[in-house]
Every structure is written in C-alpha cells, then in structure tokens.
Amino acid sequence: MQANKDSSTSRRLFLAGAAVAAALVPTGAIAEPATADAALVDAAAGVRQLDEALEAFVDAHGDDDDCDERPEYQAMESQRDAHLDTLATVPAVGTAGLRAKARVMMYDHSARTDISWSLAEDLERVLA
C-alpha cells in the first residue's frame, strides 16, 4: 500500500510541476520547432552564398562590360531573387526565422523594404 501511495504522490507532483511550467510559458512565446523556419534559414544562407559567388564571378569576368548579361550570372541572380522572395513572403514562427530575416536586412540594402515589412509583421504576430 505504501508503494502505491508513493507512486501516486510522485505522479501528482510531476503533473503539478508540468502544469506550473505550462502556465509560466507566455501565450505569445516563440515556438522553435526544428524545421519551422528552415526555409528562411536556408534562404538567408543562400543569399549570402550567392552574393559571394556573384562577386567572384564579377572578379573573374570583370573585364567584360556585360558580364552581368551572361547566362551564368543571370541564373545566380535569379536564384538569389528567389531566396529574397522567400524571406519576404514566408512568415517566421520562431527566433531562427526572425534572425535569418534580420541578418539579410543588415547587409543587403536592396532587400530591406520587402523583408522589413515581413519582419515587422512577424514580430507583431509572434510577440502579440
């Protein structure tokens, strides 16, 4: 009988602790599932990598006045634009996505407007 009582008390203490922990988490807490912001994190990394690749391409072909009209350059630029579109249109649900958007805004002046609006909407929604 004592074993049942100890088991029942332990279970009640565990459940009470879990209820208190759940109550302490604010309702607007930022969720951080592993894959929730993966598209945003990948897009930010892609922008950075493509910036480096485009710079290297221009360095290698800089003597051509029209190196930005080459198909290779245009393909990289198109892929970069797709990453920027992802950052501007996919909502962030956690800190990883918010940080991905903020990082791109810090170094890419051309992307600031679209991504800044998206980031502002994300912050308003996540922190509400």
Side-chain angles (χ1 to χ4, degrees), residues 67-106:
C67 74
D68 60 341
E69 294 178 16
R70 290 178 175 225
E72 308 95 283
Y73 184 95
Q74 291 178 347
M76 287 187 282
E77 190 69 27
S78 177
Q79 190 175 6
R80 183 180 182 281
D81 288 344
H83 289 311
L84 292 173
D85 286 344
T86 297
L87 289 160
T89 59
V90 174
V93 296
T95 55
L98 296 171
R99 291 178 72 195
K101 290 182 179 191
R103 283 189 188 123
V104 170
M105 285 178 47
M106 287 190 304

Side-chain angles (χ1 to χ4, degrees), residues 6-51:
D6 288 341
S7 174
S8 178
T9 301
S10 295
R11 184 179 313 134
R12 274 188 261 143
L13 287 173
F14 171 78
L15 293 174
V20 168
L24 291 177
V25 176
T27 56
I30 298 173
E32 235 6 286
T35 60
D37 287 329
L40 296 170
V41 172
D42 291 345
V47 168
R48 195 70 171 198
Q49 291 168 349
L50 286 163
D51 283 344

